Amino acid sequence: MRNLKIEMVDLKGQYAKIQQEIDEALLHTIRDAAFINGPQVTEFTQNLSSYLNGAYIIPCANGTDALQIAMMALGLEPGDEIIVPSFTYVATAEVIGLLNLKPVMVDVNPIYFNITRENFEQAISTKTKAIVPVHLFGQCADMEPILALAKEYNLYVIEDTAQAIGAVYTFKDGTKKQAGTMGDIGCTSFFPSKNLGCYGDGGAIYTNNTELAERIKMIANHGQVKKYVHKYIGVNSRLDTIQAAILNIKLKHLDEYSKARRDAADLYDKFLSGINDLITPARAHNSTHVFHQYTVQIKNGKRDGLKKYLESAGIPAMIYYPVPLNEQEAFKSIGKVVGSLKTTEELCSTVLSLPMHTELTFDIIEKISNEIKKYFK
Ligand SMILES: *Cc1c(COP(=O)(O)O)cnc(C)c1O
């Protein structure tokens, strides 16, 4: 018990359980030498499409590229506005600036950490062309009202689902949809620590729109219609065959991985209930949670002290995210803030993400929780 090595993410432990299959797939890929657009890429694209109930899948090099390519496909003009939450990872808004579009940053909901219809609505202007709900920490934003708003104002919806692959949202009529397949385009990342991670960089773009799928596919491949015919200015963004081979194996385990994360979260909830200055993460009634992060809020200025205390006890904990996007120097001159960012500011000073991965055991979670309780005693 005393020698438990605790990590934020245990990629080695996860690999150990599928080692033989992974090793064989890697060797096979190397011996085949079809490193770019090999058969495993096509296979993975088909497998992910089935997992996402038939959506078109365009694989690409990483989640940031996925967002950039999605935005390039919408035919936007310089100065057009895209609304994003200010409480998210930088990539969501960075690509907007890169394309000479204007990121408009708004607040999020204090209970679920996600952006809502109301947050978007107050910021809509005549220049608004798209909105980006981020399914933060593994739980879907409340999409039904967001989709209705987008329809009303004729806006594109790009879902940043880098943290929520496998989460399922339930509409009022009982329809269930996978995160990333509800808006016009969904963007995900296969960064190693993501819920479906490869062994390097990778990403994918989803859409149910045939015309958008065609354009996205071309843009990801130099704007190419066919060899040496280029219709759009595009990029070169591909998923390596080696990464696709790994993802084909890991996709089969994704639901089991999501369950392991959920079970770990349930256990944390149980151990950490009843601590005055600690709020465990809320679960929405209409979305499953795949717990990319297990993020608690620590009140009354005790967050940084707890983080230090845990570190001295050999327990890592991370702050996602310490600074609102709008306060980043990079966004000072290009971004626009609409409304109060009270919740974002509050969250940046209270959130703490605890170790969360597929290999957590009862003993590890109990130890982490006991240390947390000791700090609050
Ligand atoms: C990880 C992440 C990205 C970017 O993905 P990369 O593959 O690292 O480029 C974008 N948005 C969110 C919310 C993320 O968590």
Side-chain angles (χ1 to χ4, degrees):
M1 188 74 177
R2 282 184 51 221
N3 293 324
L4 285 178
K5 165 104 174 82
I6 300 178
E7 296 175 271
M8 276 305 283
V9 178
D10 182 7
L11 294 176
K12 287 182 188 167
Q14 193 190 58
Y15 164 65
K17 292 184 179 162
I18 51 172
Q19 180 170 1
Q20 196 183 345
E21 214 183 340
I22 292 275
D23 291 359
E24 277 168 18
L26 284 178
L27 258 184
H28 176 83
T29 308
I30 292 164
R31 286 179 178 148
D32 249 18
F35 298 117
I36 302 293
N37 293 332
Q40 291 86 344
V41 178
T42 313
E43 202 186 311
F44 174 63
T45 303
Q46 286 161 354
N47 290 340
L48 185 58
S49 174
S50 323
Y51 186 83
L52 298 172
N53 304 311
Y56 295 104
I57 304 298
I58 300 94
C60 64
N62 56 66
T64 309
D65 273 10
L67 286 158
Q68 182 186 328
I69 294 163
M71 288 171 194
M72 288 172 79
L74 301 180
L76 305 182
E77 307 278 340
D80 281 350
E81 296 180 356
I82 301 186
I83 309 172
V84 298
S86 60
F87 188 63
T88 180
Y89 183 55
V90 65
T92 315
E94 179 182 28
V95 294
I96 301 171
L98 191 67
L99 297 172
N100 281 317
L101 305 166
K102 190 177 260 310
V104 176
M105 293 164 279
V106 299
D107 214 358
V108 295
N109 176 281
I111 299 168
Y112 303 109
F113 312 144
N114 273 327
I115 194 163
T116 64
R117 174 192 166 115
E118 290 68 33
N119 298 131
F120 281 125
E121 190 161 19
Q122 43 139 9
I124 294 173
S125 80
T126 52
K127 290 198 164 160
T128 309
K129 293 290 158 58
I131 57 179
V132 185
V134 179
H135 304 313
L136 203 70
F137 302 150
Q139 183 165 241
C140 293
D142 193 6
M143 288 302 286
E144 189 156 10
I146 290 172
L147 293 170
L149 178 77
K151 201 166 175 195
E152 200 176 309
Y153 288 89
N154 201 20
L155 307 173
Y156 288 109
V157 177
I158 301 171
E159 297 174 68
D160 181 341
T161 190
Q163 301 186 2
I165 192 165
V168 174
Y169 180 86
T170 306
F171 288 77
K172 286 209 191 82
D173 69 359
T175 310
K176 291 183 188 298
K177 287 194 181 172
Q178 288 275 348
T181 66
M182 295 176 268
D184 296 285
I185 307 179
C187 299
T188 203
S189 164
F190 306 124
F191 185 83
S193 63
K194 296 283 156 84
N195 289 35
L196 179 62
C198 59
Y199 293 174
D201 275 306
I205 305 157
Y206 328 151
T207 182
N208 284 303
N209 178 318
T210 311
E211 200 187 313
L212 270 178
E214 290 287 307
R215 209 177 316 150
I216 289 166
K217 200 172 168 189
M218 285 187 236
I219 289 172
N221 183 27
H222 302 288
Q224 182 173 297
V225 182
K226 56 181 187 184
K227 213 157 176 63
Y228 305 119
V229 180
H230 302 274
K231 182 167 174 183
Y232 304 104
I233 292 295
V235 295
N236 172 23
S237 188
R238 293 184 285 240
L239 180 69
D240 290 343
T241 309
I242 284 180
Q243 302 305 343
I246 291 158
L247 288 167
N248 266 326
I249 294 164
K250 289 187 66 177
L251 180 59
K252 289 187 285 185
H253 296 280
L254 180 58
D255 286 344
E256 166 200 319
Y257 290 160
S258 299
K259 184 176 181 302
R261 288 171 178 275
R262 234 175 341 250
D263 288 349
D266 288 345
L267 213 51
Y268 270 130
D269 280 357
K270 204 173 119 207
F271 283 131
L272 297 176
S273 71
I275 300 174
N276 267 339
D277 289 323
L278 183 150
I279 304 173
T280 54
R283 324 263 183 115
H285 69 281
N286 52 7
S287 172
T288 60
H289 202 321
V290 292
F291 287 98
H292 175 61
Q293 299 296 344
Y294 184 87
T295 303
V296 295
Q297 281 174 270
I298 307 295
K299 299 294 190 182
N300 294 319
K302 294 178 181 165
R303 195 260 319 261
D304 294 351
L306 172 62
K307 184 171 187 292
K308 277 209 192 85
Y309 176 84
L310 289 176
E311 271 157 17
S312 69
I315 296 166
M318 299 289 280
I319 298 168
Y320 303 119
Y321 296 94
V323 182
L325 275 194
N326 55 293
E327 284 178 24
Q328 297 285 357
E329 194 178 341
F331 291 97
K332 284 262 157 75
S333 58
I334 61 153
K336 180 169 117 181
V337 172
V338 179
S340 141
L341 296 181
K342 220 176 91 227
T343 300
T344 299
E345 280 154 21
E346 163 87 5
L347 291 177
C348 287
S349 64
T350 57
V351 288
L352 190 65
S353 296
L354 302 178
M356 175 49 78
H357 53 79
T358 57
E359 311 305 311
L360 284 169
T361 60
F362 183 95
D363 288 353
I364 297 175
I365 296 171
E366 187 181 44
K367 174 168 165 61
I368 295 169
S369 305
N370 283 342
E371 290 295 341
I372 292 173
K373 284 183 197 155
K374 257 194 244 167
Y375 173 80
F376 283 107
K377 260 208 193 115

